[in-house]
Amino acid sequence: MMHRVTVCLLLLVIPVAAAGRSVYSVAEVQRLLDLGDSEAAIKLLDSRLRKQPTDAEALLLRSTAHLMTGNLELGRRDLEACVTFDPNTRQAWLNLAAFDLAQTDYDGALEAFTRAEALDPDAPDNSLNIGAVLLLRGDREQASERFRRYLSVNSDDANAFYLVATNYAIAGRGDLAVALLRRAIQIDEHTRLRARTDTNFSALVDDSGFQNLLTTDEYRPPPNAPSAQRSFDIPYTGRDSRVLAATLNALQIARLPVASGVEVTPLWTLVWSDVRIKIAANEKSGTDVLITADPGSFTPPEWSAKTDDLFRRIALQLHALRPKIDLERGQ
């Protein structure tokens, strides 16, 4: 009997003792940071650095943890210690450059980004980072050369053109920003919606070229892309358009996907599902609904059945959304 009691107590005590111990590992610290538990991460890192004060990796991680708590002073202190003990820690140089940029210390940022470039000359972000700092310093010719270098190896990347455009927008070069943003939109039209809410373009709010870009749909379906169009004798009224509401309802009822970003302008709206749907004002004071898809995404019978069904659903929803005055008239 005594033997059984002793075994039971041991089984209870062992897990509790194990649970109270904190074992340092990079993976465990990263897990805590990913969970947002920066305080627990700092405790583990403090313990590690008391034993190994020159551990550059631990210093970099603790810097990140301090930044998550809002302690910028300690975050920078650990970054500087990190590059002192291991000047080959590229991420630490990048983080220091970000600190310097936030404090408008462009010389310091340029030096840090240059150190990062030396550690990995082929890294795709080198020319973008250095070009941004050069532009802020007023070295436009050198900045442009860096940006050209960056875009030459990212010629089909909408995000690359978008990022360079934001740098020119911040620097007040609306002409260059708009030209680069137009190219980004040509590659991926979703970047236009992104630009609408990006504060980096706030300086261009009164720029006619920028505003024209946001309200112009330059998309042209590629050859052999399936398309279908119907017109409705209902005015287009932008965000409050009955045709827009009917289309969104129809997609929901059909259980078709709808992208979170619906792009609305005074003359047209874009909705992305498994197809592209443009809802636009027409010359007869009505509304056109144009549905397109990528070439080869549907067979002709599939496309015909899909669009016929979607237009039918839109018409049914328009009937259900009739204004009260129409219902009273029996229309």
Side-chain angles (χ1 to χ4, degrees), residues 210 223 225 227 283:
F210 179 67
S227 65
E283 297 177 351

Side-chain angles (χ1 to χ4, degrees), residues 22 24 45-55:
S22 296
Y24 171 81
L45 290 162
D46 283 346
S47 176
R48 168 65 175 177
L49 288 165
R50 278 193 293 269
K51 299 174 182 177
Q52 298 288 338
T54 63
D55 186 336

Side-chain angles (χ1 to χ4, degrees), residues 257-317:
V258 179
S260 58
V262 175
E263 190 172 10
V264 182
T265 76
L267 293 177
W268 51 263
T269 293
L270 286 178
V271 178
W272 286 276
S273 177
D274 57 342
V275 293
R276 181 186 194 267
I277 304 174
K278 181 178 181 179
I279 302 164
N282 61 32
E283 297 177 351
K284 299 179 180 180
S285 299
T287 301
D288 292 335
V289 176
L290 174 63
I291 305 175
T292 55
D294 293 332
S297 53
F298 297 91
T299 65
E302 288 173 342
W303 181 250
S304 179
K306 181 179 184 63
T307 54
D308 286 348
D309 178 67
L310 188 51
F311 284 133
R312 179 183 62 81
R313 291 179 183 274
I314 292 172
L316 287 173
Q317 289 302 308

Side-chain angles (χ1 to χ4, degrees), residues 37 174 181 191 205 265 305:
D37 193 351
L181 182 57
T191 55
V205 66
T265 76

Side-chain angles (χ1 to χ4, degrees), residues 16-266:
V16 172
R21 292 196 300 269
S22 296
V23 180
Y24 171 81
S25 74
V26 172
E28 174 61 14
V29 172
Q30 191 60 59
R31 185 186 72 83
L32 291 170
L33 293 176
D34 292 341
L35 291 173
D37 193 351
S38 54
E39 295 292 346
I42 289 172
K43 288 180 181 179
L44 282 180
L45 290 162
D46 283 346
S47 176
R48 168 65 175 177
L49 288 165
R50 278 193 293 269
K51 299 174 182 177
Q52 298 288 338
T54 63
D55 186 336
E57 186 174 39
L59 285 165
L60 178 60
L61 288 168
R62 194 171 68 176
S63 170
T64 301
H66 282 313
L67 294 178
M68 290 174 63
T69 65
N71 196 326
L72 303 184
E73 182 179 354
L74 290 181
R76 173 146 198 149
R77 181 202 66 184
D78 280 347
L79 279 177
E80 291 175 344
C82 175
V83 296
T84 296
F85 295 126
D86 184 0
N88 294 323
T89 308
R90 185 173 186 269
Q91 188 59 53
W93 288 113
L94 293 174
N95 292 357
L96 279 171
F99 262 108
D100 291 334
L101 279 175
Q103 297 171 354
T104 65
D105 180 3
Y106 302 137
D107 289 340
L110 182 59
E111 180 182 356
F113 277 139
T114 301
R115 294 293 295 267
E117 181 180 42
L119 292 171
D120 186 357
D122 296 325
D125 59 348
N126 286 330
S127 286
L128 177 65
N129 292 333
I130 293 175
V133 178
L134 289 170
L135 188 62
L136 291 170
R137 287 207 326 171
D139 300 330
R140 291 181 177 176
E141 185 174 345
Q142 293 184 59
S144 295
E145 174 56 34
R146 279 289 187 162
F147 289 145
R148 280 194 292 269
R149 191 185 307 179
Y150 173 68
L151 293 175
S152 68
V153 295
N154 296 279
S155 58
D156 295 322
D157 186 347
N159 190 57
F161 283 89
Y162 185 92
L163 292 174
V164 177
T166 62
N167 280 288
Y168 277 120
I170 292 170
R173 291 300 306 271
D175 54 338
L176 296 175
V178 169
L180 290 162
L181 182 57
R182 174 174 285 108
R183 177 56 185 149
I185 294 170
Q186 289 171 348
I187 298 172
D188 181 359
E189 64 176 331
H190 292 81
T191 55
R192 182 179 50 232
L193 178 61
R194 178 182 174 189
R196 292 182 187 279
T197 56
D198 191 338
T199 56
N200 287 321
F201 291 105
S202 57
L204 303 183
V205 66
D206 296 322
D207 185 290
S208 59
F210 179 67
Q211 292 302 324
N212 182 63
L213 187 61
L214 296 185
T215 56
T216 302
D217 175 23
E218 297 181 347
Y219 174 80
R220 296 294 179 270
N224 302 320
S227 65
Q229 179 173 317
R230 294 285 172 86
S231 298
F232 298 92
D233 190 20
I234 297 173
Y236 173 84
T237 55
R239 193 172 298 277
D240 298 326
S241 173
R242 284 169 58 194
V243 178
L244 171 57
T247 301
L248 293 174
N249 288 348
L251 291 169
Q252 183 178 21
I253 292 171
R255 296 184 178 181
L256 293 172
V258 179
S260 58
V262 175
E263 190 172 10
V264 182
T265 76

